[in-house]
Amino acid sequence: MDQGIGAWIVFNALVLGLLALDLGVFHRKAHSVSTKEAAIWSAAWIGLALLFNLGIYFWKGPRPAVEYLAGYLIEKSLSVDNIFVFIVILGTFNVPSAYQHRVLFWGVLGALVMRGAMIAAGSALLDQFHWIVYLFGSFLVFTGLRLGIQRNEEPHPERNPLLKLARRLLPVSERYEGQRFFVREAGRLLVTPLFLVLLVVEATDLVFAVDSIPAIFAVTRDPFIVYTSNVFALLGLRSLYFLLARAVGKFYYLKMALAAILMFVGVKMVVAEFYKMPVAVSLGVVVGILTLAVAASIFRAKRLTPRELSTAERR
């Protein structure tokens, strides 16, 4: 690792400290997260991410700082698609609002571990086998095309194979037991339905990581920048969920924007051997696509009647 083991230890210690403070102090008691609270936490996580970006600038220079910001924005934009699926998962299993933060907290913690392993593996593969770049790039273009043309079909988390396997192998309690994942009844240790929801959340994030991690490698090959930008985007995912859960349906053109971003970074990876696009240009393209999608979605929402908008959001 170019930065040395010290930078990795310090950064992960910082992340663990932030997570401990989050769960052990601010969210020690289960409660429904209000929109105001979610907005404050979203601003706090974004502020920390940008503060770290400033630290990257003074530590490593302008180019790594721009690479970090581009990677953070790509991961942040792709995470909005995660939020839609999380809404469906938590709604399908009727998870009480007071316990949703706990599920997402441990889901994000598991995602950090999985993505760290995937980033390490991806970095090693790119170092050893240069042709992997073309595989990653082609995969992103294909994923973007598929995302752009697919119909808005409702996901069915209850059909998840991991969930079916867990129900077959593990003893499951009949009801939610507060915010606990395990409970002991008549001397038997049982998993609660909340634990099964956590498994589905983890499996879902693993699927999304297959897209997002190669996308960030299109911006930078520095594993530290890839990892830290990914981590800060994930840390803010929970608050973003509670902030956008009721409004995500209004962003009608967001899925097309995500498809365009995936195809753009995929093409960028494929042609990098012949043309190295400046990172600042890549950042501008990503910001431009997202800005255009959000503006068009807001304009569309204002033109629809409340009844038409409600129908569109359900879709």
Side-chain angles (χ1 to χ4, degrees), residues 48 50 62 128 224 242 246 309:
L48 284 172
L50 295 179
Q128 294 296 321
F224 188 76
F242 291 107
R246 297 178 182 176
L309 184 59

Side-chain angles (χ1 to χ4, degrees), residues 193-274:
L194 202 64
F195 180 78
L196 298 183
V197 175
L198 177 61
L199 288 181
V200 177
V201 168
E202 295 286 16
T204 301
D205 184 78
L206 181 61
V207 173
F208 280 109
V210 174
D211 295 338
S212 63
I213 290 177
I216 298 182
F217 273 119
V219 176
T220 177
R221 301 290 176 79
D222 186 333
F224 188 76
I225 299 297
V226 174
Y227 178 69
T228 53
S229 60
N230 213 282
V231 166
F232 270 112
L234 282 175
L235 287 176
L237 182 60
R238 291 158 298 142
S239 54
L240 192 63
Y241 165 84
F242 291 107
L243 183 63
L244 298 181
R246 297 178 182 176
V248 70
K250 293 183 174 67
F251 297 103
Y252 182 79
Y253 297 106
L254 185 61
K255 181 160 287 191
M256 284 185 279
L258 300 182
I261 289 173
L262 286 174
M263 287 188 287
F264 166 71
V265 296
V267 171
K268 183 177 181 295
M269 290 189 84
V270 171
V271 304
E273 190 71 22
F274 315 101

Side-chain angles (χ1 to χ4, degrees), residues 26-186:
F26 295 104
H27 294 96
R28 185 164 63 176
K29 293 184 179 180
H31 66 281
S32 298
V33 179
S34 66
T35 302
K36 180 181 178 180
E37 182 183 357
I40 293 173
W41 273 104
S42 291
W45 288 120
I46 292 173
L48 284 172
L50 295 179
L51 185 63
F52 187 81
N53 194 190
L54 187 63
I56 292 289
Y57 176 83
F58 287 112
W59 175 34
K60 303 191 68 170
R63 181 182 174 85
V66 175
E67 290 177 348
Y68 168 91
L69 184 58
Y72 175 76
L73 287 177
I74 289 173
E75 178 60 35
K76 200 73 172 174
S77 60
L78 293 176
S79 69
V80 177
D81 212 24
N82 296 40
I83 289 174
F84 171 73
V85 178
F86 289 163
I87 292 170
V88 176
I89 292 173
L90 299 179
T92 299
F93 294 99
N94 296 314
V95 178
S97 58
Y99 309 142
Q100 291 180 3
H101 180 274
R102 183 174 178 84
V103 172
L104 295 177
F105 175 90
W106 289 104
V108 166
L109 188 60
L112 291 176
V113 175
M114 288 190 297
R115 295 197 180 200
M118 293 177 70
I119 289 169
S123 181
L125 286 172
L126 287 170
D127 286 341
Q128 294 296 321
F129 307 102
H130 182 71
W131 56 267
I132 293 289
V133 171
Y134 304 109
L135 181 62
F136 280 1
S138 301
F139 174 74
L140 290 174
V141 172
F142 170 76
T143 303
L145 286 171
R146 185 183 62 183
L147 183 64
I149 65 177
Q150 72 180 9
R151 298 175 59 187
N152 291 326
E153 297 178 355
E154 189 82 3
H156 295 280
E158 71 280 2
R159 301 176 187 173
N160 189 291
L162 181 61
L163 177 63
K164 294 180 179 179
L165 180 63
R167 280 177 168 163
R168 185 176 303 172
L169 299 179
L170 300 174
V172 184
S173 64
E174 296 181 357
R175 60 188 179 280
Y176 288 107
E177 301 288 345
Q179 60 178 348
R180 289 184 290 178
F181 294 123
F182 305 95
V183 65
R184 190 173 293 277
E185 292 182 0

